[in-house]
Amino acid sequence: FKGVPAPMLVHEVGEVGVAPLTAPGSSTKVQRELPWWRSPGALALEAALMLLTLGSVLYIASRPQPAIAFGERDWVVVGDLRNLTGDGELSEALETAFRISLEQSRYVNVLSDLKVRDTLARMQREAEGIIVDREVGSEIALREGARALILPTVADVGGRVRVSAEVIDPSTQTTVYAESADGVGIASTLGSIDTVTHHLRHRLGEALAAIDQDSMPLPQVTTDDVQALKWFAQAEESFRSGRYAEAGERYRRAVAIDPGFAMAHMGLARTFVSADDLQTASLHMTAAASDRDRLPAREQLYIDAWLASLGNIDGALQKWKLLMQMYPDMPAGHYNYALFAYQWAGRYEEAQEVVIGAADARYPLQGAARYLQGTIALARDRMDEAMEAFSESSKLGVRNHGWNAAWAMASTRDFEAAQRRLDEGTATGIAAGDALGVHSEVTFALDRGDLDGALVRAESFVADASAPDLARDTLALTAMMLRVLGQDTTAWASSASAYCRGEYERRNQVPPTGHAALAFGLATCGYVLAGTRFADEAPALVDSAVSLNRSLGYSTIEDAIAMATAERLRLAGQPEDAVRVLTDRIDGGELYGVHVVLLEALADAGESEAAVEQADWLAGHRGRAYGEWNSQHALQAWNVAHSNLAWLRAAELEAGRGRPAQALDRFEEFLRIWPESSRPEPIGARVRAVRERLQPSSL
């Protein structure tokens, strides 16, 4: 109370309904005594603090987490793994394991290590010794259009091994989020990597159901032996660098430690495919397929496609197409579909469309895909497209396998540029592949009219016992065709018959991987012998080719069989039947040789005008003559010779039709491209006959 020094305790007496019991109010005369925390000011402050705390909690709970605008099939860059365990030898193996685990995703695309190194080279940074860290990795990601950079780390923390990974926004170089998993001992790292990548994939937007469906435990799809994983990682690096022999040895060491290491068997298969040793490659493909449960889903489709590629062409293309559909950003599907469609199916247009899918700038083998694109364009007679693609592949570092680019130049008769391109190339280290250089020498000599020089070079290679068998067989076919070209069938027929009989007799000893080349060779033998005194041997050769190709269904082999069948019919006096056999094969992807044989069948059937049209087709499709695969380009030189001889044959036909002006135009073109000094005598006799018919006195 006012004026009273001490507080007083006041009791109120009241009656319900009359004097209600209420706390007395405060006034200028009296003031309630309250604890300080119940004073109005304190209560106001307390309310403000409560509101601030509640607001902070709500903000923290509701604010958006740091994120990257990541969508399905977007790309990430994986930086170099930081190894803080003290065991430096683990780095390469664990980094490979991290990539394999993340690459199982069909949602996240991982920029390959080879592509990362290529990008470093374009950044003019020495790849060796450069660590792909936050700064360097972010720059790579920005250059390649990748949405995120992932930096993995393995460390020893308190006696436990921790695997962690940061997701970096490359535009700001800030950590968006991180994941980690701990385990006991080095053996736990593979399981921890799986856990970390599982969480990363989910936070990047991949559905949990898809992660569970597309993922297998890393120890299962690789190996639970860290030493085997080390050899595998080193082998992968060797293979990416083109050191195939070294890669093969390292894959073998991995398999020796863990014989069920399916991915190492798959690596060995790729190595032998690169060396054109399909028989050994197929053994490792089969070994990998037998342990398919130890392959990621993507690699299971990949190995299935390769196994199918050793058999029926339609089945192979279906498997490669399935791989393309399931994993559209895996370039192997696009590349191999285009390769087989071009080589054995004659589907040039389709191959050209598909190979573009492997030429994306983010793919490690973009240069090889561009080179294949140029090769297919050459076979389609699209010279400008071919030269542009070959130029791009050269800029991307493709220096070896320069034959096709040189052939494109030679097809326009720019032989000096073609030779320069060959000289710029480097050896591949694969004997069968490098033998294509001999093809170039033989074909270029013949394209200039030097049949004798071409024959000498081809036959000297065949006689070289150190040459690879596949390349020797291919050049043996080439030499046979050149002998036919020079009409040297009398003196040489016996050796041709002996060679063909040898091929026929070994048909049951050749493994399935060699059936395609053998079938093509037997059909070619049937064509060659049809015009010799050994013509009665031709049907058995052709029948054997038909039998071998029955399970393969290769269009190019069917074309070769049609050529042999039609030639036998033509020489038997049934040119009309020969024409029917050949015209049934014309679909835009047929062998160049189909038109060579069709020309003569039409001429024998008295259809001179149609025969001249075929001659003009041959002269106008030099890209097809050079670029088609047939079988290891065995018919290339023969094709190219006929692209020149077509002018002479058209002149003969036009003169026979009483059209001297047209005959003279074609004759003069032939004389320009095949100088008289280089012509073999049988062709020289034909030239003299045409010249005689075109003398002014006989016009």
Side-chain angles (χ1 to χ4, degrees):
F1 288 92
K2 187 175 181 181
V4 178
M8 294 182 65
L9 185 63
V10 176
H11 297 275
E12 180 180 3
V13 177
E15 182 180 349
V16 176
V18 177
L21 299 172
T22 59
S26 296
S27 69
T28 57
K29 302 290 185 177
V30 63
Q31 183 73 38
R32 275 184 79 190
E33 184 182 57
L34 296 172
W36 68 267
W37 50 269
R38 290 185 60 190
S39 66
L43 287 174
L45 180 61
E46 290 168 8
L49 288 174
M50 287 181 64
L51 289 173
L52 179 62
T53 302
L54 180 61
S56 299
V57 170
L58 290 174
Y59 171 74
I60 293 172
S62 62
R63 69 174 178 172
Q65 294 294 320
I68 293 176
F70 199 91
E72 185 173 4
R73 295 175 57 196
D74 275 344
W75 293 79
V76 300
V77 173
V78 176
D80 289 337
L81 179 137
R82 283 197 308 159
N83 181 3
L84 306 179
T85 64
D87 186 353
E89 293 184 359
L90 280 174
S91 299
E92 199 169 14
L94 295 181
E95 185 174 319
T96 298
F98 189 89
R99 283 181 170 276
I100 291 172
S101 182
L102 193 57
E103 285 172 348
Q104 292 189 71
S105 173
R106 291 167 54 192
Y107 182 88
V108 179
N109 285 321
V110 182
L111 202 70
S112 73
D113 183 65
L114 181 59
K115 185 59 183 177
V116 168
R117 302 301 161 184
D118 287 344
T119 305
L120 284 172
R122 286 190 284 111
M123 291 164 57
Q124 296 184 344
R125 299 196 186 192
E126 190 64 38
E128 293 295 330
I130 288 289
I131 297 175
V132 181
D133 54 13
R134 185 182 299 261
E135 179 183 353
V136 175
S138 294
E139 185 175 353
I140 292 171
L142 291 173
R143 282 175 173 266
E144 299 300 334
R147 294 284 189 179
L149 165 68
I150 298 178
L151 296 178
T153 301
V154 178
D156 189 343
V157 180
R160 296 173 67 84
V161 179
R162 173 171 296 171
V163 176
S164 60
E166 294 179 77
V167 176
I168 312 296
D169 183 346
S171 60
T172 62
Q173 297 187 20
T174 57
T175 299
V176 180
Y177 42 77
E179 296 289 346
S180 65
D182 292 355
V184 178
I186 293 300
S188 71
T189 54
L190 297 184
S192 297
I193 287 173
D194 273 335
T195 301
V196 169
T197 58
H198 184 284
H199 291 311
L200 287 178
R201 289 165 61 180
H202 181 54
R203 296 191 68 171
L204 287 171
E206 188 171 359
L208 287 173
I211 297 174
D212 293 337
Q213 178 181 345
D214 294 334
S215 302
M216 297 172 65
L218 193 54
Q220 179 179 336
V221 298
T222 56
T223 176
D224 55 6
D225 191 297
V226 176
Q227 191 63 35
L229 187 59
K230 288 181 184 178
W231 283 116
F232 176 78
Q234 293 173 14
E236 291 282 280
E237 173 61 28
S238 299
F239 188 87
R240 287 193 295 266
S241 302
R243 303 190 304 272
Y244 299 130
E246 181 181 274
E249 179 58 31
R250 289 174 170 177
Y251 284 129
R252 274 189 288 271
R253 287 177 178 266
V255 168
I257 296 172
D258 182 356
F261 194 170
M263 289 193 71
H265 279 292
M266 196 170 74
L268 275 169
R270 294 202 320 267
T271 302
F272 285 108
V273 167
S274 299
D276 283 333
D277 186 354
L278 292 182
Q279 182 178 358
T280 308
S282 68
L283 297 177
H284 290 286
M285 290 177 194
T286 303
S290 66
D291 285 313
R292 62 184 298 106
D293 289 342
R294 293 193 60 181
L295 287 171
R298 186 182 69 172
E299 277 63 30
Q300 289 181 16
L301 289 176
Y302 178 77
I303 205 70
D304 287 346
W306 263 117
L307 285 170
S309 298
L310 303 177
N312 182 269
I313 186 65
D314 289 333
L317 293 177
Q318 287 175 8
K319 290 292 187 180
W320 290 119
K321 188 173 185 178
L322 177 61
L323 184 62
M324 282 193 298
Q325 292 171 340
M326 297 295 290
Y327 296 92
D329 291 298
M330 183 181 183
H334 299 272
Y335 184 92
N336 287 314
Y337 185 98
L339 180 67
F340 284 100
Y342 150 71
Q343 286 185 341
W344 291 112
R347 301 181 188 177
Y348 297 131
E349 301 293 333
E350 186 179 3
Q352 191 75 72
E353 293 175 4
V354 170
V355 74
I356 295 172
D360 188 284
R362 289 166 294 198
Y363 294 154
L365 299 180
Q366 180 195 6
R370 292 288 281 165
Y371 192 86
L372 178 57
Q373 190 176 2
T375 300
I376 298 168
L378 172 63
R380 296 172 62 221
D381 292 287
R382 304 293 180 87
M383 298 308 174
D384 291 341
E385 291 180 26
M387 294 310 301
E388 180 183 357
F390 288 135
S391 175
E392 286 297 317
S393 71
S394 181
K395 292 176 184 176
L396 291 167
V398 176
R399 286 290 180 269
N400 49 6
H401 298 298
W403 323 125
N404 297 34
W407 297 341
M409 297 168 184
S411 69
T412 63
R413 304 191 190 281
D414 190 350
F415 295 109
E416 291 184 3
Q419 190 59 52
R420 284 197 304 271
R421 182 64 183 88
L422 289 180
D423 294 340
E424 290 171 359
T426 56
T428 66
I430 301 172
D434 289 336
L436 288 179
V438 181
H439 278 277
S440 301
E441 296 173 15
V442 171
T443 303
F444 289 177
L446 193 57
D447 207 358
R448 292 184 171 100
D450 185 6
L451 176 58
D452 291 339
L455 265 171
V456 168
R457 183 66 185 96
E459 291 179 343
S460 64
F461 184 88
V462 174
D464 183 359
S466 65
D469 292 340
L470 179 60
R472 290 174 64 198
D473 288 344
T474 302
L475 265 296
L477 286 177
T478 297
M480 276 203 309
M481 302 302 280
L482 297 190
R483 289 290 184 184
V484 172
L485 188 67
Q487 299 179 12
D488 183 9
T489 55
T490 302
W492 187 74
S494 295
S495 59
S497 174
Y499 171 82
C500 292
R501 280 198 305 273
E503 292 294 283
Y504 179 78
E505 289 169 359
R506 73 186 188 96
R507 67 192 186 283
N508 294 324
Q509 285 76 47
V510 173
T513 53
H515 283 179
L518 178 61
F520 191 91
L522 289 171
T524 304
C525 279
Y527 169 81
V528 170
L529 295 184
T532 72
R533 66 180 186 275
F534 299 99
D536 57 339
E537 298 177 6
L541 297 170
V542 174
D543 289 345
S544 183
V546 170
S547 177
L548 288 169
N549 194 48
R550 190 168 290 121
S551 61
L552 298 173
Y554 286 7
S555 176
T556 50
I557 297 176
E558 291 175 2
D559 287 345
I561 291 168
M563 289 166 56
T565 302
E567 183 71 354
R568 191 171 76 251
L569 289 169
R570 182 182 74 84
L571 294 174
Q574 304 173 55
E576 294 83 1
D577 292 337
V579 169
R580 280 192 292 272
V581 168
L582 294 168
T583 52
D584 286 345
R585 297 301 310 161
I586 295 178
D587 58 6
E590 70 279 358
L591 288 179
Y592 186 89
V594 167
H595 293 271
V596 174
V597 183
L598 180 57
L599 187 160
E600 298 304 328
L602 288 168
D604 286 1
E607 300 183 35
S608 299
E609 183 176 357
V612 170
E613 290 176 359
Q614 289 300 311
D616 290 342
W617 189 96
L618 293 169
H621 287 74
R622 282 173 55 82
R624 177 74 63 85
Y626 265 102
E628 74 175 15
W629 171 256
N630 43 77
S631 177
Q632 297 284 336
H633 304 284
L635 304 186
Q636 184 191 73
W638 182 77
N639 288 349
V640 169
H642 277 286
S643 75
N644 295 323
L645 286 170
W647 294 103
L648 177 60
R649 191 70 181 99
E652 292 171 336
L653 291 166
E654 292 287 31
R657 296 174 65 201
R659 294 160 55 90
Q662 291 81 353
L664 186 60
D665 288 342
R666 289 171 168 81
F667 187 57
E668 287 177 344
E669 179 63 20
F670 175 74
L671 296 178
R672 183 183 68 81
I673 59 179
W674 262 19
E676 186 171 359
S677 59
S678 63
R679 292 184 214 123
E681 177 49 34
I683 296 173
R686 291 172 59 187
V687 169
R688 289 192 295 274
V690 173
R691 182 176 283 121
E692 182 72 23
R693 296 190 67 174
L694 295 180
Q695 289 299 319
S697 59
S698 63
L699 293 181

